[in-house]
Amino acid sequence: MSPAPSDVVVVGIGADGWDGLSPAAQQAVSRSRVLMGSRRQLDLVPGEFERVAWPSPLVPALPELFEKYRDVCVLASGDPMFHGIGTTLVRLLGERVTVIPHPSSVSLACARLGWALNEVEVVSLVARSIDLLRPVLTPGRRVLVLGGDPAAVAEVVGADGQIVVLEQLGGSAERVYPWSGQDSDPLCVIAVEYRGSALSRVPGLPDDAYESDGQLTKREVRAISLSRLAPLPGQLLWDVGSGSGSIAIEWARTHPTCRVIAIEQSAERAERIAGNAASLGVPGVEVHIGRAPDALEGLEKPDAIFVGGGVTVPGVMQACWDALASGGRLVVNAVTLESEAVVAQWYARLGGDLVRIAVNRGSAVGKFTGWRPHMPVTTWSVTK
Ligand SMILES: C[S@@+](CC[C@H](N)C(=O)[O-])C[C@H]1O[C@@H](n2cnc3c(N)ncnc32)[C@H](O)[C@@H]1O
């Protein structure tokens, strides 16, 4: 028998507990038979229920829990659809779920600080790396950090920012104070106003933004290559022969939902890619150590592929082309005659665009200035 629609109501609750719920939310809670949530949340609600505290780890346990229980009220903090359990439950249970939101901690923080909610950047660090904070720290930008530790945030922000901690928002123990090293309640939002310098998200970062052994696509060529790869939010790139990881990293920096798998045969370089990704604020770059084409087998199919190494290795180009879905973009950079010959064959077969990039950088020649040429790069791009 299929379950009755909407037998799971997800109710947002704040630090003000039961008294802070709207009459509609209180009624929805009272009509339920089973109450689920964290221990702390379960204690906020009076009445007779079967109370089920979240197990750990939570997500893998959810299907069984909701198979077993019906007429459930799930307590979630703030707005359940904002970095909350509501989204996970809707994905899992579909129409069984009704959501009743409460103001999120971010709305409350903006109210206390007098900040426009639509202008702040929000970063959730719940079970995620502190490095994610790096790309959002730009001059004058206001940032709210969820699930963070003020000391760790202060270390990333450095001397060029001000940090305000907002604890227990909406509850009787609410406290808002400029942070200067004191212990804080873990239930807090951290507000950051940053005044320091920052790197743009537009591709073509300075070469010295990367640790490298010289295997680095240079700034100007990188910018052109990324414009051909044309990253869009949510899309996945394979960076084949990732070297120092610059293409992978700049793809990921264009939007927080962009994903990358960097494939690199050298373990030493792979480690460097991970280090560069962390310091440039995209720790989610997935690094696979291995040699293409074998290393490409079984990977999630990408929306775009960049081949910066291994062009002449038999099977690499074919494996990349085969992996792309219709509409996917393939961009290949060739520097040697041998890799150009492979590119020429593929261009003859599939068409696309060929661009030859000859970069000359001005630099000192004695007390004058002259042009120093880089090796020309042939960029072939094609859409499947
Ligand atoms: C020129 S570098 C790429 C530079 C990179 N785009 C960047 O900006 O950092 C080429 C890289 O491809 C790697 N490589 C070459 N053949 C490969 C293959 N078949 N599979 C995986 N990596 C390969 C090399 O180890 C080298 O690190």
Side-chain angles (χ1 to χ4, degrees), residues 32-83:
S32 306
R33 212 168 43 76
V34 181
L35 207 55
M36 287 186 194
S38 67
R39 277 253 156 264
R40 184 184 64 78
Q41 288 163 336
L42 292 177
D43 289 344
L44 294 173
V45 174
E48 290 295 309
F49 300 96
E50 184 171 356
R51 291 169 196 259
V52 180
W54 290 134
S56 174
L58 172 60
V59 176
L62 289 174
E64 209 179 307
L65 275 180
F66 285 91
E67 196 45 54
K68 180 169 172 195
Y69 294 104
R70 302 275 181 246
D71 299 326
V72 180
C73 172
V74 172
L75 299 173
S77 75
D79 186 335
M81 302 306 279
F82 183 70
H83 295 290

Side-chain angles (χ1 to χ4, degrees), residues 215-217 222 239-247 263-266 269 290-293 306 308-310 313 316:
Q215 293 291 318
L216 177 74
T217 303
R222 203 183 320 127
D239 180 11
V240 181
S242 190
S244 311
S246 73
I247 297 284
I263 299 103
E264 173 53 54
Q265 63 186 5
S266 150
R269 290 191 188 132
R291 194 161 194 268
F306 178 74
V313 176
V316 167

Side-chain angles (χ1 to χ4, degrees), residues 46-322:
E48 290 295 309
F49 300 96
E50 184 171 356
R51 291 169 196 259
V52 180
W54 290 134
S56 174
L58 172 60
V59 176
L62 289 174
E64 209 179 307
L65 275 180
F66 285 91
E67 196 45 54
K68 180 169 172 195
Y69 294 104
R70 302 275 181 246
D71 299 326
V72 180
C73 172
V74 172
L75 299 173
S77 75
D79 186 335
M81 302 306 279
F82 183 70
H83 295 290
I85 185 77
T87 329
T88 313
L89 290 178
V90 170
R91 208 179 303 125
L92 182 70
L93 305 171
E95 292 190 347
R96 277 184 70 187
V97 180
T98 304
V99 178
I100 303 181
H102 190 80
S104 73
S105 54
V106 162
S107 298
L108 294 172
C110 283
R112 303 298 185 265
L113 295 162
W115 289 6
L117 179 56
N118 51 301
E119 286 171 12
V120 296
E121 185 114 32
V122 180
V123 180
S124 170
L125 297 181
V126 178
R128 296 165 88 210
S129 164
I130 183 78
D131 292 316
L132 290 167
L133 184 57
R134 299 182 193 279
V136 301
L137 294 177
T138 56
R141 195 101 176 105
R142 289 168 159 174
V143 180
L144 292 176
V145 180
L146 308 180
D149 162 32
V153 169
E155 207 174 307
V156 172
V157 170
D160 294 318
Q162 283 176 336
I163 295 176
V164 170
V165 174
L166 301 101
E167 286 177 5
Q168 295 277 348
L169 280 164
S172 56
E174 177 173 317
R175 271 197 329 145
V176 178
Y177 53 91
W179 190 79
S180 54
Q182 59 271 61
D183 286 341
S184 304
D185 190 309
L187 202 64
C188 70
V189 174
I190 304 166
V192 181
E193 268 190 291
Y194 184 72
R195 303 260 161 249
S197 59
L199 290 170
S200 172
R201 286 182 189 236
V202 173
L205 294 182
D207 293 342
D208 63 10
Y210 295 91
E211 290 288 330
S212 164
D213 59 359
Q215 293 291 318
L216 177 74
T217 303
K218 300 295 180 291
R219 178 179 199 168
E220 296 78 5
V221 177
R222 203 183 320 127
I224 292 172
S225 304
L226 273 143
S227 80
R228 293 282 173 171
L229 287 167
L232 289 173
Q235 292 196 331
L236 174 69
L237 171 77
W238 286 0
D239 180 11
V240 181
S242 190
S244 311
S246 73
I247 297 284
I249 289 166
E250 294 191 20
W251 168 283
R253 280 176 61 90
T254 61
H255 195 270
T257 60
C258 280
R259 298 175 306 129
V260 195
I261 303 175
I263 299 103
E264 173 53 54
Q265 63 186 5
S266 150
E268 191 186 329
R269 290 191 188 132
E271 200 178 324
R272 197 176 289 119
I273 295 166
N276 281 330
S279 66
L280 290 164
V282 284
V285 167
E286 216 180 288
V287 187
H288 273 250
I289 305 173
R291 194 161 194 268
D294 295 349
L296 307 175
E297 264 172 45
L299 299 182
E300 183 184 342
K301 298 289 183 240
D303 300 287
I305 302 179
F306 178 74
V307 186
V311 179
T312 57
V313 176
V316 167
M317 294 288 287
Q318 189 66 53
C320 289
W321 183 246
D322 291 347

